[in-house]
Amino acid sequence: MIEVQDIEKTFEKEKVLNKVTFHVQKGSIYGLLGSNGAGKTTLMRMIAGIIRQKSGQVRVNDTPVFENEEVKQLMVFLPDSLYFLPQYTVKQMANFYKDMYNSWNEERYQALKDVFNLEENKKVSHFSKGMQRQVAFWLAMSCMPDVLILDEPFDGLDAVMRKKVRSLIIQDVADREMTVLISSHNLREVEDICDHVGILHKGEMMFERDLDDLKADVHKIQVAFKGEQESILNSDLDIMHYEKRGTVLLMIVKGNEDEITDAIKQYQPVIFDRLPLTLEEIFIYEMGGAGYAIENVLV
Amino acid sequence: MPLKTSSFKKEIVKQNLRNVGWVSIVYFIGLLFVLPLQLVMALGGENGVESGSGGLFSITFIFHVQAIFLFTMPVLMAIFIFRYMHVSASSDFIHSLPIKRGKLFNYHVGAGVLLLVAPIVIVGLILFVFMGTADVSAFYNLADLGRWTMFMLIVTLLVFIACVFVGTLTGLSAVQGVLTYIFLLFPMGIIGLIYFHLSFFIYGLSSSTLLDRWGQQLSPIVDIAVYHPQLIENGEIHIPVDYPVLGIYIVVTVLLYFLSAFIYKRRQLEAASHPIAVNWLKPVFKIGVTFCLALFFGLYFSQTQGTLPWVIFGYVLGGITGFFIATMLIAKTWRVFTFYHLKRLGMYSATVAALLVLIPLVFIGYENQIPEQEEVENVYVGSHYYQYEDYKASDEVDFIESEETIEAVRNLHERMLQERSSLNNNGESIFIAYQLKNGNVIQRSYDVNRSLVEEEYEQVSQTDEFKEMQMPFLVAEATSIDSIYIVNPLRFEVTISASNQKRELLEHLKQDIYSESYSETFGSSEIDSYGMVRIDGGEEIYFPLRRSYENTMEWLQAEDLYDEVILEAGDINHLEVFRNGGAADQQGFNAFQQLKDSGEEPLVIEDPGQINQVLEAGDGGSNDAYLVGVFLHEENPQADMIASFDEDEAPSFITESLQDSE
């Protein structure tokens, strides 16, 4: 659905994006992670067709985005700093969107009114920051976009609202295969919604992963053996990290779960537990392997 | 997906109306006040009817206020309607919507045009309705209304599009406003500055030739600001901007529209809030500011100091100032004094220095060119280019054609080349135009100290042809002369319109002027009267009315006009005379005042006989050995007029008593 190929962008001789390539499949929710200044917003503005890349290609639905009305009809972009037309009420903003987007769905708009429970005839600027973000979602979802681009979308939303918005997004993804691109500097914020994650660091795409694969692929294991503790380390297992806690060996192992279980069983462990692993931990170990400390990449 | 119902985005137009409708309303109210309301007040007759043929551009409709609206409202409109482009958040929002940039641009320009045209058209309609309901023929007719509407529409749209154009180049709304006015003044300013400076380095190039011809028309602001409704003459229809220039405005408006649309589509949106939004413009801007400021400082020092080292100093100072100001503006910080920028400045300076050395070399041929005697068809000699233009346009065109006079002019020209000093601002202006037999025209303008070219100048100025050229009424038919005015130093004016009087006066003037010696030709002082002649409704031609014009004076006495037009002892209370020992560094009134303030005791003359002697003593000289303050009333604290004369012209009682007092 979204294809980004080798794009580069410079601001005043400073390279902001360098050969960035990634793909987002239809019906997927892609989390674009990176610290401040990594180039996330620039990349998203480019995908939204606001600014033009210096080189490379940005395609949505197999067509270039820039200055393409038809493709942009399918997309809604919510920037991190929201903008509403000055002095406009929610209703007036809705009319504006309705005029701009052919896919505007009035029933959806009316239905969402109850979800968000906001005053329709109040000026948007009179709402609090969090409420303004709800208005933005309300309007965006009413456009029924095929592609939704969200830059730091959960800033300023309380936990209840976050949950509400998240379920709205997931519902649309499930119902009509909406594609979502979400940027964040906080992994925890997106790990429960995304199915794919890419990490942008200093203008370059460091790596991309399918989260389901990732979770299935990396395991945290606690073992203890009767005899020689260290012999397991020389096995075929792809051990990304280990530490000794007394007689217990804590390992992060990459690979198929069954194969790992079989391999370890051969050493006849006294203790063998599989512990839950957070996404953050996975990244720490994955990126540690790549020579980065995650604190430098994500906040 | 639902079918497209309409591709016209009415919400964008609606949003513009909500956003900038107020500008339109202010414009409307403004025009309502200066046109219909003024009309109603004038019709009410409280202040009487000031009829004039200025139509809707006349004083009744306070044109200068109209002009202020004309140059502020379209700029405000353009700034506010494209404000979204200069704010990052709104720019991102608008440009993320499914609408092409070109379309977006057109929607905004279209809304702006609509909102600017509406007030003008509505006010025009109101004025039209007045025509049917009241007698407004003293103020305007249908043609006047048409001209007004056309003029307002064209200039409003030009200013609007110019501001839109500047807006696409910059990323800050304030900069957009300032740069728009600079842009509208720029063509005239830069050409004037360049020409002025070229005239320093190219001897004989007139700094005013080009500017006199169409300088003000290069800038709509100046062209409209210098319009005076009261200058309208002879029922001629005047419009603040000439029709051909209005045509050029239309062309420029269209060009700027396409250029702005082109730039808008390619504009980097991330440039919002950068003073200069387009990269290629940055060096242009930097060099432009540097260059202009250098010229401007040079101009300042040339006017105040008048020597080449000072002018060069001005270039250097202005250049450095301009360069760093421009760099700071672009970088948005004052900390730009780095080696990198210094290197840039050095490169720029080297280029300009090379140009300064090279340009005069290129023009050596131009400077030294004096056409051969046999090449010349005829010659014009005067003091300024605009006189030449006026003369050419008048009915009595009679250039110098005699061989001897052409020779005399060429001698003068040659002599001036020998005495070259192009920075001299205080000398006599001499303008020469040769019409060559091959059709070419050679024009030169000089400022020379007359004493250096005295001999040659006398040869030219004593010819009848020269005198006739300066005073065309000498050769005009008496019947073609509308009237003659004589103005005495008390600003009292006498009109001579009876045809036999005109004829006789002219006859006597001719005798006196033709026989006038060179030493008499110069230096008329404030105590002399002067006359004005208008031939066939053309410009007025001035002539001095000197006491030494014996024939004319006799005639004036015979006609009982002498008392009225010539200042006499009877008009004067007393005179105060100072010997100007060169103590005063100023001239005329200021010099007199300086001497008076210094506490020096003047020679006071109250005897009418002596006053008359002083009045007749001379018409002033070049070295002002004596300064005479003329007091019309006892109680006047300051002299009403100042006269002066040279040592040898002074009446003996003055030289004696002032010599004694020292």
Side-chain angles (χ1 to χ4, degrees), chain B residues 546-562:
Chain B
R546 302 198 166 91
R547 279 166 225 274
S548 56
Y549 289 180
E550 286 173 14
N551 284 302
T552 313
M553 293 300 139
E554 272 172 32
W555 181 84
L556 285 172
Q557 265 162 348
E559 295 287 318
D560 276 343
L561 288 167
Y562 187 87

Side-chain angles (χ1 to χ4, degrees), chain A residues 45 67 72 88 99 102, chain B residues 2 11 18 92 95 101 270:
Chain A
R45 286 164 87 200
E67 282 283 80
K72 282 167 94 174
Y88 266 47
D99 195 33
N102 300 330
Chain B
E11 283 291 332
R18 287 190 178 122
D92 274 11
H95 292 101
R101 285 195 188 187
E270 51 269 32

